[in-house]
Amino acid sequence: MKARRSVPWRDQASITVRRKGRQVLRVSRKTFRYALVLCGAAVVALLSLAFAWLAEIALEWNRHWTSATPWAALVVIPLAMAGLRWLTLRLAPMARGSGIPQVIAATAIPVPVASAGLVSLRQALWKIPLTAAALLAGASVGREGPSVQVGAAAMLAWGRFWQERIGVKLEFRANELIAAGAAGGLAAAFNTPLAGVVFAIEELGRDAAVRWNRLALSGVLASGFIALAIAGNNPYFHAAAAAGFAQGAWGWTLASGVLNGAVGGLFAATLVRGATGLVPGRWRPWLQRHPVRVAFLCGLVVAVLGCLTGGATYGTGYEQTAALLNGHPAESAWFGIAKWVATVASYVCGIPGGIFTPSLAIGAGMGEHIVQLAGPAADPRTLALVSMAAFLAAATQAPITASVIVMEMTRSQDLMFHLLMATLVASLVSRQFCPRPFYHAMALRFHKEVMHSHHRSPSGPAGAAPPSGAQM
């Protein structure tokens, strides 16, 4: 038998040191990648919190001036919405509307095209003051959808900075960075980390181009947890402990799903059709030529509704929703319907602003109408909560996201089965009125608009750009 050759102890030590050094280097690279993603998540969380702070100030000032001079809204709101439409067209045309459709569209187009428009950091940052100005004026919009676009743009810009300026390979697909930032923005905006993950999977993950991994999901959760650490572990809505349903209340839960499914489906279908789809064909060319005048007319509708409801339809509808969740009826008997019309008018005019929080307010108003039929058979606080989730599910056709968001923002885990039942029924009914989910129908329009503009630009055909799935 051949004798085994002995290796000098110095050589063995050198081999061991080199091997351990390679292992430490591998761990360090992985840790560094995690650190970069967590830092990006922190940027998204801070932007969302700053956005929330600015929006709260705008809402507070709106309450002051509309209470002091309520009839001034008939002049201020139309002029403000017309001015915001003009500024949006000049400064950030891709910042109009919610922001979630832009993010969905951005995951399916080349990175340079997406970063130059749909998730451009410059345009996304303009969305913050423009949305705050809309809330100050009294438009029925929310900040959560815009927070999604801002988060996506910030995370993509963060990743591209390290890739292109510093030369660090994150080994991330660009659309994963976009989706992680978007979901992180939602999680931070609502103080709901779990809802951010569910939103990412259910809404942004419908497209096979987005592939989720542990690092991307860690970034989503980190944004939510960082926001919780800074703002405190407080629910979005401070709702009183809701009493349990009385016997037979499952029937009212089903009724809530059906009613909100129909109303929410019509809501989504109306938003998809837009202003030109709501008028006779002979008027449509005029509307397309004069978007600022259309915004003025929409602002007049919002102002009239606000005056008739004592200002209840202005802004996000947070105060009215919180009141209904605590068993206090709305000041206006037809708050839900008026908020529905005000939100449609605010969205179709083309100013920046989301539909998330207004949809929750509409749902709570619809729940009050159901209470008028149910009488003592059900707790009004619980029906308002269930209707919130049902209407949001009908508007977005994302029932799991709607259930988890409402559960987390109200700490109503005990009602999860009621929420799931109402949202699933509402989503099914909504499809009969709006077959394609609202966000994805609008995303298709943004996709076509951006690609058409890119093909017409002198920089070259779209095929010259690297694919959206390219690693960073």
PDB file of all heavy atoms in Angstrom, residues 233-252:
ATOM      1  N   ASN A 233     -46.482  51.424  16.843  1.00  0.00           N
ATOM      2  CA  ASN A 233     -47.329  50.296  16.457  1.00  0.00           C
ATOM      3  C   ASN A 233     -48.793  50.623  16.720  1.00  0.00           C
ATOM      4  O   ASN A 233     -49.453  50.042  17.580  1.00  0.00           O
ATOM      5  CB  ASN A 233     -46.899  49.041  17.234  1.00  0.00           C
ATOM      6  CG  ASN A 233     -47.609  47.795  16.745  1.00  0.00           C
ATOM      7  OD1 ASN A 233     -48.174  47.797  15.648  1.00  0.00           O
ATOM      8  ND2 ASN A 233     -47.608  46.753  17.539  1.00  0.00           N
ATOM      9  N   ASN A 234     -49.286  51.588  15.974  1.00  0.00           N
ATOM     10  CA  ASN A 234     -50.671  52.036  16.137  1.00  0.00           C
ATOM     11  C   ASN A 234     -51.475  51.647  14.913  1.00  0.00           C
ATOM     12  O   ASN A 234     -50.992  51.762  13.784  1.00  0.00           O
ATOM     13  CB  ASN A 234     -50.720  53.559  16.309  1.00  0.00           C
ATOM     14  CG  ASN A 234     -49.925  54.029  17.500  1.00  0.00           C
ATOM     15  OD1 ASN A 234     -50.037  53.479  18.592  1.00  0.00           O
ATOM     16  ND2 ASN A 234     -49.088  55.045  17.290  1.00  0.00           N
ATOM     17  N   PRO A 235     -52.720  51.202  15.105  1.00  0.00           N
ATOM     18  CA  PRO A 235     -53.548  50.870  13.946  1.00  0.00           C
ATOM     19  C   PRO A 235     -53.898  52.104  13.144  1.00  0.00           C
ATOM     20  O   PRO A 235     -53.966  53.225  13.686  1.00  0.00           O
ATOM     21  CB  PRO A 235     -54.798  50.239  14.571  1.00  0.00           C
ATOM     22  CG  PRO A 235     -54.846  50.791  15.960  1.00  0.00           C
ATOM     23  CD  PRO A 235     -53.421  50.985  16.379  1.00  0.00           C
ATOM     24  N   TYR A 236     -54.103  51.928  11.870  1.00  0.00           N
ATOM     25  CA  TYR A 236     -54.443  53.051  10.988  1.00  0.00           C
ATOM     26  C   TYR A 236     -55.770  53.674  11.415  1.00  0.00           C
ATOM     27  O   TYR A 236     -55.927  54.889  11.420  1.00  0.00           O
ATOM     28  CB  TYR A 236     -54.529  52.540   9.552  1.00  0.00           C
ATOM     29  CG  TYR A 236     -54.651  53.607   8.494  1.00  0.00           C
ATOM     30  CD1 TYR A 236     -53.536  54.277   8.026  1.00  0.00           C
ATOM     31  CD2 TYR A 236     -55.889  53.943   7.965  1.00  0.00           C
ATOM     32  CE1 TYR A 236     -53.649  55.259   7.050  1.00  0.00           C
ATOM     33  CE2 TYR A 236     -56.014  54.919   6.994  1.00  0.00           C
ATOM     34  CZ  TYR A 236     -54.891  55.571   6.535  1.00  0.00           C
ATOM     35  OH  TYR A 236     -55.006  56.537   5.570  1.00  0.00           O
ATOM     36  N   PHE A 237     -56.745  52.809  11.767  1.00  0.00           N
ATOM     37  CA  PHE A 237     -58.031  53.265  12.295  1.00  0.00           C
ATOM     38  C   PHE A 237     -58.143  52.848  13.758  1.00  0.00           C
ATOM     39  O   PHE A 237     -57.965  51.669  14.075  1.00  0.00           O
ATOM     40  CB  PHE A 237     -59.195  52.657  11.507  1.00  0.00           C
ATOM     41  CG  PHE A 237     -59.381  53.226  10.135  1.00  0.00           C
ATOM     42  CD1 PHE A 237     -59.065  52.482   9.022  1.00  0.00           C
ATOM     43  CD2 PHE A 237     -59.872  54.513   9.958  1.00  0.00           C
ATOM     44  CE1 PHE A 237     -59.227  52.995   7.745  1.00  0.00           C
ATOM     45  CE2 PHE A 237     -60.035  55.041   8.681  1.00  0.00           C
ATOM     46  CZ  PHE A 237     -59.717  54.280   7.573  1.00  0.00           C
ATOM     47  N   HIS A 238     -58.419  53.801  14.632  1.00  0.00           N
ATOM     48  CA  HIS A 238     -58.611  53.500  16.050  1.00  0.00           C
ATOM     49  C   HIS A 238     -60.090  53.178  16.252  1.00  0.00           C
ATOM     50  O   HIS A 238     -60.905  54.055  16.565  1.00  0.00           O
ATOM     51  CB  HIS A 238     -58.179  54.680  16.911  1.00  0.00           C
ATOM     52  CG  HIS A 238     -56.712  54.972  16.814  1.00  0.00           C
ATOM     53  ND1 HIS A 238     -55.773  54.325  17.586  1.00  0.00           N
ATOM     54  CD2 HIS A 238     -56.021  55.827  16.017  1.00  0.00           C
ATOM     55  CE1 HIS A 238     -54.565  54.776  17.286  1.00  0.00           C
ATOM     56  NE2 HIS A 238     -54.690  55.683  16.322  1.00  0.00           N
ATOM     57  N   ALA A 239     -60.427  51.909  16.048  1.00  0.00           N
ATOM     58  CA  ALA A 239     -61.816  51.483  16.140  1.00  0.00           C
ATOM     59  C   ALA A 239     -62.084  50.880  17.507  1.00  0.00           C
ATOM     60  O   ALA A 239     -61.238  50.187  18.079  1.00  0.00           O
ATOM     61  CB  ALA A 239     -62.140  50.457  15.052  1.00  0.00           C
ATOM     62  N   ALA A 240     -63.282  51.136  18.040  1.00  0.00           N
ATOM     63  CA  ALA A 240     -63.676  50.526  19.301  1.00  0.00           C
ATOM     64  C   ALA A 240     -63.881  49.031  19.097  1.00  0.00           C
ATOM     65  O   ALA A 240     -64.097  48.551  17.980  1.00  0.00           O
ATOM     66  CB  ALA A 240     -64.970  51.175  19.805  1.00  0.00           C
ATOM     67  N   ALA A 241     -63.801  48.278  20.186  1.00  0.00           N
ATOM     68  CA  ALA A 241     -63.985  46.826  20.103  1.00  0.00           C
ATOM     69  C   ALA A 241     -65.384  46.533  19.585  1.00  0.00           C
ATOM     70  O   ALA A 241     -66.387  46.906  20.202  1.00  0.00           O
ATOM     71  CB  ALA A 241     -63.784  46.191  21.465  1.00  0.00           C
ATOM     72  N   ALA A 242     -65.465  45.901  18.448  1.00  0.00           N
ATOM     73  CA  ALA A 242     -66.760  45.633  17.816  1.00  0.00           C
ATOM     74  C   ALA A 242     -67.429  44.456  18.483  1.00  0.00           C
ATOM     75  O   ALA A 242     -66.808  43.462  18.824  1.00  0.00           O
ATOM     76  CB  ALA A 242     -66.572  45.350  16.330  1.00  0.00           C
ATOM     77  N   ALA A 243     -68.721  44.590  18.695  1.00  0.00           N
ATOM     78  CA  ALA A 243     -69.479  43.484  19.272  1.00  0.00           C
ATOM     79  C   ALA A 243     -69.637  42.375  18.252  1.00  0.00           C
ATOM     80  O   ALA A 243     -69.616  42.602  17.043  1.00  0.00           O
ATOM     81  CB  ALA A 243     -70.857  43.991  19.722  1.00  0.00           C
ATOM     82  N   GLY A 244     -69.809  41.166  18.722  1.00  0.00           N
ATOM     83  CA  GLY A 244     -69.952  40.036  17.818  1.00  0.00           C
ATOM     84  C   GLY A 244     -71.255  40.086  17.062  1.00  0.00           C
ATOM     85  O   GLY A 244     -72.239  40.697  17.499  1.00  0.00           O
ATOM     86  N   PHE A 245     -71.289  39.435  15.943  1.00  0.00           N
ATOM     87  CA  PHE A 245     -72.515  39.387  15.158  1.00  0.00           C
ATOM     88  C   PHE A 245     -73.608  38.639  15.908  1.00  0.00           C
ATOM     89  O   PHE A 245     -73.346  37.651  16.590  1.00  0.00           O
ATOM     90  CB  PHE A 245     -72.263  38.661  13.832  1.00  0.00           C
ATOM     91  CG  PHE A 245     -71.826  39.588  12.733  1.00  0.00           C
ATOM     92  CD1 PHE A 245     -70.751  39.278  11.940  1.00  0.00           C
ATOM     93  CD2 PHE A 245     -72.513  40.758  12.502  1.00  0.00           C
ATOM     94  CE1 PHE A 245     -70.353  40.120  10.922  1.00  0.00           C
ATOM     95  CE2 PHE A 245     -72.117  41.620  11.481  1.00  0.00           C
ATOM     96  CZ  PHE A 245     -71.040  41.296  10.702  1.00  0.00           C
ATOM     97  N   ALA A 246     -74.824  39.114  15.756  1.00  0.00           N
ATOM     98  CA  ALA A 246     -75.964  38.383  16.311  1.00  0.00           C
ATOM     99  C   ALA A 246     -76.307  37.222  15.386  1.00  0.00           C
ATOM    100  O   ALA A 246     -75.737  37.064  14.303  1.00  0.00           O
ATOM    101  CB  ALA A 246     -77.161  39.322  16.461  1.00  0.00           C
ATOM    102  N   GLN A 247     -77.229  36.380  15.829  1.00  0.00           N
ATOM    103  CA  GLN A 247     -77.595  35.215  15.025  1.00  0.00           C
ATOM    104  C   GLN A 247     -78.162  35.661  13.672  1.00  0.00           C
ATOM    105  O   GLN A 247     -78.956  36.577  13.588  1.00  0.00           O
ATOM    106  CB  GLN A 247     -78.642  34.381  15.776  1.00  0.00           C
ATOM    107  CG  GLN A 247     -78.968  33.067  15.079  1.00  0.00           C
ATOM    108  CD  GLN A 247     -79.937  32.224  15.881  1.00  0.00           C
ATOM    109  OE1 GLN A 247     -80.397  32.668  16.923  1.00  0.00           O
ATOM    110  NE2 GLN A 247     -80.236  31.042  15.408  1.00  0.00           N
ATOM    111  N   GLY A 248     -77.727  35.000  12.628  1.00  0.00           N
ATOM    112  CA  GLY A 248     -78.181  35.338  11.281  1.00  0.00           C
ATOM    113  C   GLY A 248     -77.355  36.409  10.608  1.00  0.00           C
ATOM    114  O   GLY A 248     -77.674  36.850   9.508  1.00  0.00           O
ATOM    115  N   ALA A 249     -76.281  36.859  11.268  1.00  0.00           N
ATOM    116  CA  ALA A 249     -75.490  37.946  10.699  1.00  0.00           C
ATOM    117  C   ALA A 249     -74.687  37.510   9.485  1.00  0.00           C
ATOM    118  O   ALA A 249     -74.224  38.359   8.730  1.00  0.00           O
ATOM    119  CB  ALA A 249     -74.561  38.527  11.758  1.00  0.00           C
ATOM    120  N   TRP A 250     -74.464  36.205   9.310  1.00  0.00           N
ATOM    121  CA  TRP A 250     -73.752  35.758   8.108  1.00  0.00           C
ATOM    122  C   TRP A 250     -74.514  36.163   6.849  1.00  0.00           C
ATOM    123  O   TRP A 250     -73.918  36.430   5.811  1.00  0.00           O
ATOM    124  CB  TRP A 250     -73.551  34.250   8.145  1.00  0.00           C
ATOM    125  CG  TRP A 250     -72.444  33.825   9.070  1.00  0.00           C
ATOM    126  CD1 TRP A 250     -72.563  33.308  10.319  1.00  0.00           C
ATOM    127  CD2 TRP A 250     -71.044  33.905   8.804  1.00  0.00           C
ATOM    128  NE1 TRP A 250     -71.330  33.060  10.854  1.00  0.00           N
ATOM    129  CE2 TRP A 250     -70.375  33.409   9.950  1.00  0.00           C
ATOM    130  CE3 TRP A 250     -70.293  34.348   7.725  1.00  0.00           C
ATOM    131  CZ2 TRP A 250     -68.991  33.352  10.039  1.00  0.00           C
ATOM    132  CZ3 TRP A 250     -68.920  34.283   7.804  1.00  0.00           C
ATOM    133  CH2 TRP A 250     -68.280  33.794   8.957  1.00  0.00           C
ATOM    134  N   GLY A 251     -75.837  36.231   6.970  1.00  0.00           N
ATOM    135  CA  GLY A 251     -76.627  36.677   5.822  1.00  0.00           C
ATOM    136  C   GLY A 251     -76.353  38.124   5.471  1.00  0.00           C
ATOM    137  O   GLY A 251     -76.274  38.480   4.293  1.00  0.00           O
ATOM    138  N   TRP A 252     -76.161  38.961   6.501  1.00  0.00           N
ATOM    139  CA  TRP A 252     -75.837  40.361   6.239  1.00  0.00           C
ATOM    140  C   TRP A 252     -74.422  40.511   5.717  1.00  0.00           C
ATOM    141  O   TRP A 252     -74.126  41.434   4.949  1.00  0.00           O
ATOM    142  CB  TRP A 252     -76.045  41.188   7.505  1.00  0.00           C
ATOM    143  CG  TRP A 252     -77.484  41.281   7.894  1.00  0.00           C
ATOM    144  CD1 TRP A 252     -78.071  40.734   8.992  1.00  0.00           C
ATOM    145  CD2 TRP A 252     -78.517  41.928   7.150  1.00  0.00           C
ATOM    146  NE1 TRP A 252     -79.420  41.009   8.993  1.00  0.00           N
ATOM    147  CE2 TRP A 252     -79.720  41.738   7.865  1.00  0.00           C
ATOM    148  CE3 TRP A 252     -78.560  42.635   5.955  1.00  0.00           C
ATOM    149  CZ2 TRP A 252     -80.939  42.242   7.433  1.00  0.00           C
ATOM    150  CZ3 TRP A 252     -79.778  43.134   5.510  1.00  0.00           C
ATOM    151  CH2 TRP A 252     -80.948  42.937   6.243  1.00  0.00           C
TER     152      TRP A 252
END
